[in-house]
Amino acid sequence: MTTKQPLSHLDWLEAEAIHILREVAGQCANPVLLFSGGKDSLCILRLAEKAFRPGRFPFPLMHIDTGHNYQEVVNFRDQRAAELGERLIVRSVEDSMKRGTVVLKTPDEPRNKHQSVTLLEAIEEFGFDCCIGGARRDEEKARAKERIMSFRDEFGQWDPKNQRPELWNLFNARVHKGENIRAFPISNWTEMDVWQYIEREKLELPSIYFAHQRDIVMRHGAIFPVNVSLPSGEVINQPKAGEEVINMQVRFRTVGDVTCTAPVISDADDVSKIVVETATTTITERGATRLDDQTSDASMEQRKKEGYF
Amino acid sequence: MTTPHNDSLLRFMTCGSVDDGKSTLIGRLLYDTKTILADTLNNIARTSQKRGMEAVDLSLLTDGLQAEREQGITIDVAYRYFSTGTRKYIIADAPGHEQYTRNMVTAASTANLAIILIDARKGVLTQTRRHSYLAHLVGIPHIVVAVNKMDLVNYDQATYEKIKADYIAFATEIGLAQARDIKFLPMSALNGDMLVDRLDNMNWYQGETLLDILEAAPAAHSDQAEPFRFPVQFVCRPHDSANPELHDFRGFMGRVESGSIAVGDDVTVLPNGYQSKVKAIQLGNELLQSAQTEQSITLLLEDEIDTSRGDMIVKTSQAPEAVKQIEAHVCWLSETPLSPARTYIVRHTTRESKAKIGSIHYKVDVNTLEQQATSDLKMNDIARVSFKLAQPLMVDSYDKNRATGAFIVIDESSNNTVGAGMIV
Ligand SMILES: Nc1nc2c(ncn2[C@@H]2O[C@H](COP(=O)(O)OP(=O)(O)O)[C@@H](O)[C@H]2O)c(=O)[nH]1
Ligand SMILES: [Mg+2]
């Protein structure tokens, strides 16, 4: 009889996430894994390998592309999907704009919130009954109340006051046609857990997560990246008149829409340095880097009610 | 201070009535362990100020939904995280109003420790009894009774001792004191006395601080050697004809819900009863010699056995019963009452069965703990119910095994989770 040595916290989180992924595979007829090329979804890919290899993943990967992504991240996304030999579906907000289902107020506004529309369109197109995502409860207050398997009605809406109770590790992913489950295998992970896992598993990441030189301006008290070349070739985030462009060493803590994701000043050029920096930072991931979440205390909750991830 | 090396994880919950200080306690733990970062603190400081409060209201950290902030109450179970460098913690904060039973049972189902808050001015109340009964029912092994708001009773030792004695008397009455590890401490969540720092208002108390207790609490939910239980979640058959090694690969994927398993062990697959031996254990690319509770693994058996999701692999010498009738304590979770005439779905481990209600023996008044006859169940009711099942389930009693003694009840028409069951 082996003595009972509790699992380390990373082993426990890993085991829980694998269990959740396998429950999705066991309970859902047509799931999909949302994959952006960012660090959280890269962790989930490793977890999916541990959950399903030597078999193929029982779901395709899908990216809802805002068209506002860093070239490095898009390249990395494609490279990783190819290495894994798994199918990658890309659906783009720009196609929704062409269809007229996404209407921008200003041409260069952040497109994160418009991803909901494109996501719902893709869910309908493919008939997905479950989307696996990399959201974490520590990211934001509304997320802290979200279930690991979170029910969305036919309109993709989240009703925070009427969620399915979730007990033990008995997950209920049952849905009627048209309804949808959002499954979050790394709900219980913190930013630190993610970095420690990346370090332990020696995961590769898009280069912009590491310290690099970049042109920035200071805008509304935040570091704002300027003159960014998009995969389409377009260059956006032009400095405004009077703004002083500075070349600085920075890294991204999260990678998202180019127009609203700010880097932080850093000289951490490898994962172990990032782990140390994460341990000593005084600002949350979203506080430091998401320029669109700060409008109101409740903006994430609002977006989620409307079908956002 | 958060540092990159935590070696274990503890899940705990806070229980208390509205305003006993649950959110403040959690806020204080996060604050004193430096988990709250400057921007979050600025945000809640601003909100506190807007509301005309003098000090920063730490309860704003956990009350995350718009409606909660507007009404100043907690609506749904919230999960929070902090880490001390030696341990990672997951806290479930369950709100204390109407839907309390349902939320508390939910939070308790994954907790290994419960902090039961008592307002020092009020002492042991009906609510305290209810929280304690529920913590007991849901099998939380470690209980910490925290007498809070000591600052409002001048940090008086006699008040604390009286509450402690009252609680012990009551806990003995309901069998909690005998069955669980109970610890007591005085504190002020608002000031931070005895949470992370001792401060010097209660030098008469020489026991552990709350954080000391948390740091020392065992992480495993049972210290008994439990039998091996491995519900099959998913069967991996790559069917890769190009790769001869994978051609016949048949991996049974799942999580070890209890006990341990080693290569070479004799196993039985239930409910069919096929017997085999463990050929290999895999975790990703790694080959393991053995695996233990809570690990998610892939099992390969010596023989080609037809096994699918919902089956359970056990050690041949420790097989559980396969039953088509169960009796359980059920907590009803749904606004739609249980209707005895209807058929429900019971989900137990990775297995589902249609179920009919045999009978409702009684329901428990969670305030007086009296048993009452009843013919239906409403939200927040706790009752002893027997079910008739269409499919056999491989069960242990909840007392012996939290994983194979628990089930949820699903309403087939709404697909909602409407009940939580603990097999007696
Ligand atoms: N004086 C004093 N007030 C406290 C203490 N703990 C909490 N409170 C106050 O009691 C009220 C309710 O606290 P809260 O944490 O929201 O309670 P909850 O409803 O259990 O989450 C708030 O105004 C707190 O500031 C304490 O130890 N001493
Ligand atoms: Mg509260």
Side-chain angles (χ1 to χ4, degrees):
Chain A
M1 195 86 224
T2 44
T3 46
K4 237 176 178 175
Q5 184 69 29
L7 299 183
S8 77
H9 83 287
L10 278 186
D11 284 336
W12 188 91
L13 290 170
E14 176 184 89
E16 180 190 49
I18 293 172
H19 177 254
I20 294 163
L21 286 167
R22 288 171 173 171
E23 278 307 287
V24 170
Q27 292 189 38
C28 302
N30 189 17
V32 64
L33 193 160
L34 297 188
F35 172 57
S36 62
K39 67 181 190 311
D40 299 318
S41 59
L42 285 162
C43 283
I44 295 190
L45 285 189
R46 170 52 53 88
L47 293 162
E49 288 183 83
K50 294 205 183 194
F52 301 112
R53 294 292 187 237
R56 292 176 60 92
F57 294 175
F59 34 68
L61 318 179
M62 180 164 76
H63 184 218
I64 303 298
D65 192 337
T66 56
H68 274 177
N69 294 297
Y70 286 94
Q71 181 72 55
E72 292 89 338
V73 179
V74 171
N75 292 349
F76 196 86
R77 173 198 78 186
D78 294 343
Q79 177 202 325
R80 194 74 195 102
E83 282 164 6
L84 288 166
E86 301 289 345
R87 176 170 167 229
L88 173 68
I89 300 167
V90 178
R91 285 295 173 269
S92 83
V93 174
E94 282 168 354
D95 286 337
S96 300
M97 285 156 53
K98 283 181 202 142
R99 277 192 291 273
T101 46
V102 164
V103 182
L104 302 183
K105 287 200 201 94
T106 56
D108 57 354
E109 77 183 32
R111 295 178 180 175
N112 274 346
K113 67 172 187 202
H114 298 300
Q115 281 178 299
S116 321
V117 174
T118 310
L119 174 63
L120 293 180
E121 287 170 348
I123 288 172
E124 193 170 328
E125 176 187 352
F126 293 96
F128 293 129
D129 56 355
C130 177
C131 302
I132 303 163
R136 308 188 318 261
R137 286 176 177 151
D138 84 320
E139 281 179 274
E140 207 278 332
K141 282 192 282 194
R143 289 220 193 270
K145 312 238 157 170
E146 176 126 32
R147 302 296 185 257
I148 287 174
M149 298 229 184
S150 184
F151 176 79
R152 303 299 162 97
D153 69 12
E154 271 176 292
F155 301 96
Q157 297 179 104
W158 181 57
D159 180 359
K161 282 192 252 175
N162 193 19
Q163 303 192 70
R164 284 183 186 171
E166 200 162 71
L167 296 103
W168 298 287
N169 57 8
L170 296 173
F171 298 106
N172 175 3
R174 295 174 74 102
V175 287
H176 292 303
K177 205 170 157 44
E179 299 166 345
N180 197 262
I181 293 289
R182 306 285 167 88
F184 302 111
I186 60 167
S187 283
N188 284 325
W189 297 41
T190 60
E191 185 187 12
M192 177 60 104
D193 297 326
V194 167
W195 281 113
Q196 287 181 276
Y197 194 69
I198 289 167
E199 184 177 37
R200 185 182 92 170
E201 297 292 315
K202 302 187 172 62
L203 298 186
E204 281 182 51
L205 295 179
S207 56
I208 63 172
Y209 277 113
F210 303 102
H212 58 282
Q213 293 297 131
R214 178 174 291 279
D215 282 350
I216 61 107
V217 296
M218 294 305 295
R219 192 179 285 177
H220 310 305
I223 300 171
F224 189 75
V226 292
N227 301 328
V228 179
S229 307
L230 297 176
S232 63
E234 192 191 343
V235 177
I236 62 168
N237 290 6
Q238 315 288 355
K240 293 180 183 161
E243 281 179 335
E244 186 198 352
V245 176
I246 314 163
N247 190 266
M248 214 184 233
Q249 200 176 37
V250 296
R251 70 176 172 92
F252 287 91
R253 281 171 76 181
T254 157
V255 297
D257 189 315
V258 166
T259 62
C260 63
T261 311
V264 294
I265 300 171
S266 169
D267 55 12
D269 54 7
D270 66 27
V271 176
S272 63
K273 287 180 195 157
I274 293 176
V275 169
V276 172
E277 233 180 60
T278 306
T280 49
T281 183
T282 58
I283 302 178
T284 60
E285 186 175 319
R286 275 181 189 271
T289 58
R290 287 291 175 91
L291 303 170
D292 59 334
D293 275 351
Q294 295 173 0
T295 31
S296 117
D297 244 8
S299 59
M300 169 65 85
E301 182 183 345
Q302 201 50 44
R303 291 209 318 245
K304 284 165 65 66
K305 283 180 178 165
E306 289 159 6
Y308 187 70
F309 219 74
Chain B
M1 179 71 218
T2 321
T3 65
H5 297 286
N6 305 295
D7 50 24
S8 68
L9 181 142
L10 184 77
R11 301 192 72 161
F12 71 91
M13 70 174 299
T14 50
C15 327
S17 307
V18 183
D19 284 350
D20 279 353
K22 296 179 295 297
S23 301
T24 309
L25 176 144
I26 293 171
R28 173 59 68 180
L29 277 175
L30 300 183
Y31 183 75
D32 286 355
T33 55
K34 314 223 171 6
T35 308
I36 305 175
L37 301 181
D39 56 328
T40 309
L41 203 60
N42 287 342
N43 267 339
I44 64 168
R46 237 181 296 137
T47 311
S48 304
Q49 216 172 22
K50 261 195 263 172
R51 295 229 194 118
M53 286 179 256
E54 265 171 40
V56 174
D57 183 356
L58 291 173
S59 74
L60 291 172
L61 280 170
T62 54
D63 295 341
L65 299 174
Q66 202 164 9
E68 294 177 327
R69 283 191 302 275
E70 282 160 8
Q71 297 165 36
I73 54 163
T74 315
I75 286 171
D76 203 344
V77 183
Y79 295 91
R80 293 287 153 190
Y81 306 86
F82 73 96
S83 155
T84 53
T86 48
R87 207 165 215 192
K88 172 181 166 111
Y89 294 90
I90 303 180
I91 318 172
D93 178 24
H97 52 100
E98 325 96 61
Q99 295 195 349
Y100 195 72
T101 302
R102 160 192 152 138
N103 287 320
M104 181 166 164
V105 168
T106 302
S109 72
T110 53
N112 281 322
L113 181 147
I115 300 172
I116 296 181
L117 281 166
I118 298 181
D119 186 326
R121 298 168 303 173
K122 298 178 182 162
V124 177
L125 299 178
T126 306
Q127 288 92 316
T128 318
R129 294 166 183 268
R130 173 165 40 144
H131 303 147
S132 305
Y133 167 72
L134 291 173
H136 187 31
L137 182 78
V138 189
I140 300 178
H142 307 282
I143 306 282
V144 178
V145 179
V147 180
N148 189 33
K149 307 201 182 182
M150 287 299 292
D151 55 309
L152 297 181
V153 296
N154 297 319
Y155 296 106
D156 176 43
Q157 182 177 9
T159 306
Y160 167 73
E161 297 295 348
K162 164 92 172 52
I163 293 172
K164 181 175 169 183
D166 287 350
Y167 189 91
I168 290 174
F170 148 75
T172 309
E173 201 180 291
I174 66 165
L176 179 66
Q178 297 86 325
R180 310 274 182 245
D181 157 42
I182 306 183
K183 290 198 153 75
F184 294 86
L185 85 159
M187 69 183 204
S188 167
L190 192 67
N191 287 338
D193 299 88
M194 295 301 163
L195 273 88
V196 173
D197 302 312
R198 306 188 69 85
L199 306 187
D200 48 15
N201 294 309
M202 291 185 282
N203 291 327
W204 48 263
Y205 173 79
Q206 289 302 314
E208 297 164 289
T209 61
L210 183 62
L211 192 64
D212 293 339
I213 294 173
L214 295 175
E215 291 278 277
H221 61 73
S222 163
D223 47 12
Q224 296 153 23
E226 293 178 326
F228 176 66
R229 301 289 183 253
F230 187 78
V232 176
Q233 285 186 278
F234 195 77
V235 180
C236 175
R237 302 216 53 188
H239 295 293
D240 188 342
S241 39
N243 182 341
E245 253 180 66
L246 288 186
H247 189 69
D248 293 322
F249 186 95
R250 200 192 276 251
F252 303 117
M253 300 177 149
R255 192 167 189 191
V256 181
E257 291 291 359
S258 64
S260 61
I261 190 77
V263 173
D265 283 350
D266 290 316
V267 292
T268 297
V269 183
L270 296 172
N272 290 332
Y274 301 128
Q275 302 201 348
S276 188
K277 256 186 205 312
V278 176
K279 184 165 81 179
I281 305 172
Q282 298 187 353
L283 196 181
N285 295 329
E286 251 179 289
L287 281 175
L288 307 179
Q289 275 312 299
S290 68
Q292 62 166 13
T293 311
E294 300 198 306
Q295 279 188 297
S296 284
I297 55 167
T298 301
L299 281 184
L300 281 74
L301 302 184
E302 295 279 1
D303 308 277
E304 271 201 28
I305 289 179
D306 184 24
T307 298
S308 52
R309 175 175 169 86
D311 289 351
M312 189 185 285
I313 300 177
V314 302
K315 279 187 188 164
T316 302
S317 58
Q318 310 170 328
E321 269 185 288
V323 297
K324 292 185 75 170
Q325 181 130 14
I326 48 175
E327 201 168 314
H329 288 115
V330 171
C331 175
W332 200 250
L333 307 168
S334 166
E335 280 169 17
T336 314
L338 174 144
S339 137
R342 279 189 57 188
T343 300
Y344 290 94
I345 292 172
V346 159
R347 182 193 294 279
H348 171 265
T349 63
T350 57
R351 199 171 170 82
E352 275 185 6
S353 169
K354 293 205 187 260
K356 277 186 167 304
I357 310 301
S359 60
I360 307 175
H361 301 285
Y362 56 81
K363 78 174 181 190
V364 178
D365 180 325
V366 290
N367 294 324
T368 61
L369 308 187
E370 270 166 15
Q371 300 176 1
Q372 305 162 343
T374 182
S375 57
D376 70 351
L377 288 184
K378 297 194 191 62
M379 186 156 76
N380 294 317
D381 280 349
I382 300 227
R384 185 155 168 157
V385 181
S386 54
F387 294 85
K388 284 183 276 192
L389 305 169
Q391 299 290 326
L393 298 180
M394 284 66 78
V395 306
D396 296 291
S397 74
Y398 188 78
D399 254 6
K400 290 221 176 72
N401 198 318
R402 249 169 132 179
T404 48
F407 62 89
I408 55 173
V409 183
I410 297 170
D411 179 332
E412 222 175 346
S413 62
S414 65
N415 282 327
N416 230 330
T417 304
V418 293
M422 290 149 278
I423 296 167
V424 290

